[in-house]
């Protein structure tokens, strides 16, 4: 076989996972809560939203649980964290500030446990932020002695809220824990699993049932009913004539015919099946199958081309490899498309099967077994010899027997000879067609069972490999650690202490076409992020940008931008008709700083989800609420905002400048 030179294929690169536009995991119980759910369920889901970065939704659910009378030490711990998470004191309304100050009255502690210890530490931190003479070192020691669960949550959610003398010490502990937790939990080995859809069970195309036309059956039965009596009559004539030698030739022809029929059937089946597979595996595209017949087949074909190129043997040219495997790709594409066409699955659900089939092609090439069917279907010489010798015995013995019958019976034997030969030929060719079709079906059944067993085994292995997929809370925790590590880089670059920063804000947006996924009801997570951090200092705005490769928590393409307060003219979020949300910050010189917060809704919306709620949760988790508060203040008031913000921070929760609810 010689591959053609005019093969073209499209490939995905980097994070552009072919065929996957947006994965929504069906973990319906992770974030799902009904209006009539019990209070403890609402609290549980509220905590999950808080851990996932959507503090606004989390606070509402925890508030509903408290309003229903559900108060435990754990509730007392998470409620103030949900209230202050991702916010400064200026962002609290007067009513919220009053509730936070008086939380010990409607959230009383009961007994001593690790949650109660955490609650006491939270309340002391809130008090210390308003008392300049507090013993910060003792308070930090108390915080550091908490169990990791409580300490990490406090540091994560109170980071923006606390100010004053405690700010630098709290940042030191926060950064220490962030660096320690950034790669925890086998992050590099597990993050990619979050972006894998729930795999669809393996399906293999069912073999075609034997199809024998009625006319063929008629020829076989009629020919047999005619040829058998005619052949028996020839034998009877030989017995009546006492022609022993002709009778022996007669028996030899029958035995030879049986051996020839059996060996010939095997020979014909093997050669025909090998020829059919040669045509199916032919490298050169066939006009009838050059273009996939429908959208599903085209998507599968695209995926196969991508994975075949990915698993290409070492030293092989890509175009040559894809040309050599063009026929195999067509065969696999048609098999998979036929199996899943009416099942309602998207391609990404059985993408694991496509990848496995492509990898198997590469392995068979490496093992020298890609075209092993040619050896397996080659007809053994013994079978060929049996077929030839049997046919010769049939012809020679038959001729001798016919001659003897004609000599014995005279003209009366002619009709039997003619009918035996003609009807035998008709019956033999019909029975051959029937037998070949049954052999084809049996061989297809055998291949089907073998492929099904292999796919079932691969499916079980893939399910086990995805068993430790991280939940949304883990994804959010890792992302929060990345943000803090990048913030520390910015502080060190500008030689700033945390107390030198009046306020800071961040944007976590999707980078380009990076793969995205989310749990039903939760925010979008991305393989790659465009991170933007805005530091508000006495000298202006310090902006740091970096591209985050989320799988391993590494940053690339760092760049920085500095501008005065007065340079910021506007900041807003633009929502397009396709439900994409883009953050835009305009500078006086006409420059626009943009980030796509939510990409176009390319996947079908889940019937049980409200797109607006999904957008709200995603934007909240991406830090938009606090970022807009900070940058809108800078755009509206300029440097005066920074001065007022510092004064408000010093005044604490009693700041009369807090807006009304």
């Amino acid at each position: 076989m010689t591959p053609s030179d005019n093969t073209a294929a499209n490939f995905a690169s980097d994070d552009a996972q072919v065929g996957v536009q947006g994965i929504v995991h069906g973990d319906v119980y992770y974030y799902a809560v009904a209006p009539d759910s019990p209070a403890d369920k609402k609290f549980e889901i509220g905590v999950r939203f808080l851990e996932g970065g959507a503090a606004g939704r989390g606070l509402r659910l925890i508030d509903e649980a408290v309003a229903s009378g559900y108060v435990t030490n754990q509730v007392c711990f998470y409620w103030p964290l949900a209230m202050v998470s991702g916010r400064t004191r200026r962002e609290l309304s007067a009513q919220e500030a009053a509730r936070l100050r008086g939380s010990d009255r409607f959230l009383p502690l009961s007994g001593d446990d690790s949650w109660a210890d955490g609650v006491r530490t939270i309340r002391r931190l809130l008090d210390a932020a308003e008392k300049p003479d507090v013993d910060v070192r003792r308070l930090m020691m108390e915080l550091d002695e908490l169990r990791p669960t409580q300490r990490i949550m406090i540091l994560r959610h109170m980071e923006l809220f606390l100010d004053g003398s405690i700010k630098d010490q709290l940042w030191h502990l926060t950064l220490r824990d962030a660096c320690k937790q950034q790669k925890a939990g086998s992050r590099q080995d597990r993050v990619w699993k979050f972006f894998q859809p729930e795999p669809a069970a393996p399906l293999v195309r069912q073999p075609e049932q034997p199809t024998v036309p009625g006319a063929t059956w008629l020829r076989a039965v009629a020919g047999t009913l005619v040829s058998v009596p005619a052949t028996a009559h020839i034998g009877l004539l030989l017995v009546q004539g006492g022609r022993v030698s002709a009778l022996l030739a007669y028996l030899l022809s029958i035995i030879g015919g049986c051996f020839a029929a059996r060996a010939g059937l095997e020979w014909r089946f093997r050669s025909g099946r090998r020829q059919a597979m040669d045509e199916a595996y032919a490298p050169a595209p066939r006009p009838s199958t050059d273009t996939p017949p429908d959208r599903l087949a085209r998507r599968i074909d695209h995926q196969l081309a991508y994975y075949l190129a990915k698993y290409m043997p070492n030293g092989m040219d890509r175009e040559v490899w894809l040309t050599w495997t063009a026929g195999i790709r067509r065969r696999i594409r048609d098999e998979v498309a036929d199996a899943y066409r009416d099942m309602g699955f998207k391609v990404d659900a059985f993408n694991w099967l496509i990848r496995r089939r492509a990898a198997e092609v590469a392995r068979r090439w490496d093992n020298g077994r890609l075209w092993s069917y040619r050896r397996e279907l080659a007809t053994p010489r013994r079978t060929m010899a049996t077929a030839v010798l049997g046919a010769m015995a049939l012809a020679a013995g038959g001729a001798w027997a016919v001659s003897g019958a004609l000599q014995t019976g005279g003209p009366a034997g002619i009709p039997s000879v003619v009918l035996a030969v003609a009807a035998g030929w008709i019956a033999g060719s019909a029975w051959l067609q029937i037998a070949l079709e049954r052999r084809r079906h049996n061989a297809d059944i055998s291949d089907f069972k073998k492929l099904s067993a292999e796919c079932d085994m691969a499916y079980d292995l893939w399910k086990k490999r995805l068993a430790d997929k991280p939940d949304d809370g883990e994804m959010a925790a890792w992302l929060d650690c990345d943000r803090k590590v990048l913030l520390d880089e910015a502080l060190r670059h500008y030689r700033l202490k945390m107390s030198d920063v009046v306020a800071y804000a961040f944007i976590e947006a999707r980078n380009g076409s990076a793969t995205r996924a989310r749990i039903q009801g939760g925010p979008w997570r991305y393989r790659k992020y465009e991170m933007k951090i805005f530091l508000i200092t006495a000298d202006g705005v310090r902006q740091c940008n970096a591209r985050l490769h989320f799988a391993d928590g590494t940053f690339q393409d760092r760049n920085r931008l500095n501008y005065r307060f007065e340079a910021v003219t506007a900041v807003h979020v633009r929502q397009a008709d396709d439900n994409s949300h883009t953050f835009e910050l305009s500078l006086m010189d006409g420059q626009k700083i943009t980030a796509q917060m939510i990409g176009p809704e390319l996947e079908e919306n889940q019937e049980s989800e409200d797109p607006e709620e999904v957008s709200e949760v995603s934007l909240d988790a991406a830090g938009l609420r606090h970022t807009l508060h900070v940058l809108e203040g800078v755009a509206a008031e300029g440097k005066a905002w920074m001065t007022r913000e510092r004064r408000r921070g010093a005044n604490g929760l009693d700041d009369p400048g807090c807006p009304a609810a």
Side-chain angles (χ1 to χ4, degrees):
M1 298 180 184
T2 303
S4 60
D5 297 328
N6 55 350
T7 299
N10 295 321
F11 302 95
S13 60
D14 207 13
D15 270 305
Q17 188 174 358
V18 184
V20 180
Q21 303 296 346
I23 297 168
V24 181
H25 295 297
D27 302 342
V28 295
Y29 299 109
Y30 194 85
Y31 282 124
V33 59
D36 58 348
S37 295
D40 59 339
K41 179 66 174 179
K42 290 183 177 180
F43 170 72
E44 177 187 350
I45 302 302
V47 170
R48 288 182 180 174
F49 272 113
L50 175 63
E51 292 176 342
R57 180 70 60 84
L59 178 61
R60 288 199 295 272
L61 290 173
I62 296 174
D63 260 337
E64 290 180 17
V66 172
S68 300
Y70 184 72
V71 177
T72 65
N73 289 350
Q74 195 173 359
V75 173
C76 296
F77 177 82
Y78 279 108
W79 184 88
L81 294 184
M83 177 66 77
V84 305
S85 179
R87 307 168 77 182
T88 62
R89 279 177 284 179
R90 172 60 181 165
E91 292 175 66
L92 294 184
S93 67
Q95 180 182 1
E96 289 173 329
R99 290 190 72 199
L100 188 59
R101 284 196 305 270
S103 61
D104 56 337
R105 293 193 297 273
F106 65 90
L107 293 174
L109 293 176
S110 56
D112 285 325
D113 57 18
S114 59
W115 298 110
D117 294 338
V119 173
R120 296 187 188 98
T121 301
I122 290 173
R123 292 173 179 174
R124 291 191 185 106
L125 285 170
L126 292 174
D127 291 340
E130 304 180 49
K131 298 176 181 178
D133 57 344
V134 71
D135 186 351
V136 175
R137 288 191 305 173
R138 182 176 178 181
L139 188 55
M140 290 299 102
M141 290 177 60
E142 180 181 336
L143 176 61
D144 204 30
E145 289 172 357
L146 290 176
R147 292 188 176 181
T149 300
Q150 287 76 31
R151 185 184 70 250
I152 291 173
M153 292 299 292
I154 291 173
L155 292 174
R156 176 181 172 187
H157 295 288
M158 298 190 71
E159 169 199 356
L160 281 173
F161 194 79
L162 298 177
D163 209 338
S165 59
I166 201 173
K167 195 171 185 178
D168 287 327
Q169 288 82 355
L170 192 68
W171 171 247
H172 174 73
L173 292 181
T174 299
L175 180 62
R176 183 199 66 183
D177 277 7
C179 292
K180 186 183 301 182
Q181 297 297 321
Q182 187 186 22
K183 305 293 178 67
S186 302
R187 171 178 178 169
Q188 290 178 276
D189 297 328
R190 297 174 58 218
V191 163
W192 65 270
K193 301 177 184 181
F194 187 85
F195 299 97
Q196 296 295 323
E198 182 66 22
L203 297 178
V204 179
R205 182 172 61 183
Q206 294 286 339
E208 294 183 11
Q209 294 297 320
T211 54
V212 179
T216 302
W217 278 106
L218 180 62
R219 290 198 306 271
V221 174
T224 302
L225 292 176
V226 173
S227 63
V228 169
T231 303
H233 185 252
I234 293 173
L236 179 62
L237 291 175
L238 294 175
V239 171
Q240 290 175 348
R243 295 182 172 273
V244 178
S245 59
L247 185 59
L248 292 176
Y250 172 80
L251 295 175
L252 177 63
S253 68
I254 294 176
I255 295 172
C258 292
F259 277 98
R262 183 174 181 180
L265 173 64
E266 183 71 15
W267 191 352
R268 178 75 176 273
F269 169 75
R270 285 174 173 268
S271 59
R273 192 167 183 84
R274 187 168 74 167
Q275 182 180 357
M277 294 189 71
D278 282 342
E279 293 177 358
Y281 281 25
R286 294 175 297 175
S288 61
T289 56
D290 191 19
T291 301
D294 54 27
R295 184 172 181 270
L296 177 66
R298 288 193 295 272
R299 294 282 297 278
I300 295 172
D301 192 69
H302 199 185
Q303 287 288 80
L304 279 169
Y306 169 70
Y307 285 117
L308 281 170
K310 181 177 180 180
Y311 299 124
M312 181 176 60
N314 293 331
M316 175 71 73
D317 179 78
R318 186 178 69 180
E319 296 301 323
V320 173
W321 168 246
L322 289 176
T323 301
W324 273 102
T325 56
I328 298 175
R329 186 169 73 243
R330 287 194 302 268
R331 183 182 177 92
I332 296 175
R333 177 199 71 199
D334 294 342
E335 288 178 356
V336 175
D338 290 347
Y340 285 96
R341 181 168 283 113
D342 299 326
M343 302 305 296
F345 290 111
K346 293 183 178 180
V347 173
D348 52 294
F350 53 88
N351 192 57
W352 68 271
L353 179 60
I354 300 172
R355 182 175 59 248
R356 186 260 171 199
R357 298 289 298 270
E360 180 63 20
V361 171
R363 281 194 294 269
R364 289 176 66 86
W365 173 279
D366 291 335
N367 297 334
R369 296 186 298 109
L370 188 56
W371 283 283
S372 60
Y373 69 87
R374 293 187 60 82
R375 296 191 304 271
E376 296 167 359
L377 292 175
T379 306
R381 293 184 179 180
R382 181 177 179 180
T383 302
M384 294 179 2
T386 302
V388 171
L389 293 175
M392 292 173 62
L394 172 64
W400 195 345
V402 167
S403 175
L406 291 176
Q407 292 177 10
T408 301
I414 295 176
S416 296
V417 171
V418 173
L419 290 175
V421 173
W425 177 265
I426 293 173
S429 61
W431 283 119
L432 176 63
Q433 184 177 345
I434 294 171
L436 286 173
E437 183 64 10
R438 289 188 172 181
R439 283 293 304 274
R440 189 275 309 165
H441 179 66
N442 291 336
D444 287 349
I445 288 289
S446 178
D447 291 344
F448 168 80
K449 291 180 178 179
K450 180 180 178 182
L451 182 58
S452 296
E454 292 174 354
C455 291
D456 287 342
M457 184 180 299
Y459 175 71
D460 292 339
L461 291 175
W462 185 244
K463 289 280 288 185
K464 290 179 181 178
R465 197 172 180 193
L466 296 180
D468 61 344
K469 179 188 73 176
D471 60 33
D472 195 65
E474 289 180 278
M475 298 288 285
W478 285 325
L479 185 59
D480 183 68
C481 292
D482 294 332
R483 175 167 52 87
K484 290 178 171 61
V485 169
L486 184 61
L487 176 58
D488 178 61
E489 285 188 18
L491 293 174
R492 287 189 284 108
H493 174 78
Y494 290 112
R495 298 180 181 179
L496 297 171
K497 296 183 297 183
M498 183 57 78
S499 56
D500 296 329
V501 178
V502 178
Y504 78 88
F506 63 92
I507 288 290
E508 296 164 351
R510 181 186 190 181
N511 177 255
S513 60
T515 304
R516 61 178 180 168
R518 64 180 176 86
I519 290 177
Q520 189 170 341
W524 285 110
R525 308 294 181 192
Y526 304 107
R527 280 185 182 268
K528 289 186 178 180
Y529 283 89
E530 189 69 35
M531 306 281 285
K532 299 183 186 296
I533 293 183
F534 303 90
L535 303 177
I536 312 302
T537 69
D539 298 323
V541 181
R542 305 285 184 262
Q543 179 182 333
C544 297
N545 307 319
R547 181 161 61 96
L548 169 65
H549 191 276
F550 189 63
D552 53 12
T554 57
F555 296 98
Q556 300 171 339
D557 301 334
R558 296 173 177 81
N559 60 83
R560 299 174 181 86
L561 182 66
N562 305 326
Y563 39 90
R564 305 187 316 276
F565 296 108
E566 294 76 10
V568 181
T569 58
V571 58
H572 69 283
V573 174
R574 177 170 51 84
Q575 181 175 356
D577 293 339
D578 59 7
N579 203 38
S580 61
H581 291 66
T582 304
F583 168 85
E584 292 185 355
L585 187 149
S586 302
L587 300 181
M588 189 175 293
D589 60 2
Q591 181 179 0
K592 284 190 175 182
I593 300 169
T594 64
Q596 190 178 67
M597 307 298 297
I598 301 178
E601 296 292 348
L602 298 179
E603 82 295 331
E604 298 178 4
N605 287 322
Q606 301 290 312
E607 294 182 359
S608 59
E609 294 185 276
D610 182 353
E612 290 299 326
E613 290 185 359
V614 173
S615 298
E616 177 190 348
V617 170
S618 296
L619 294 175
D620 192 8
L624 186 65
R625 177 176 55 168
H626 172 66
T627 300
L628 288 178
H629 166 77
V630 171
L631 296 181
E632 284 175 347
V634 171
E637 303 180 46
K639 192 169 184 177
W641 180 89
M642 185 270 296
T643 304
R644 292 193 184 98
E645 191 71 11
R646 260 190 174 155
R647 186 173 64 248
R648 291 161 187 156
N651 290 338
L653 294 177
D654 293 317
D655 177 17
C658 287

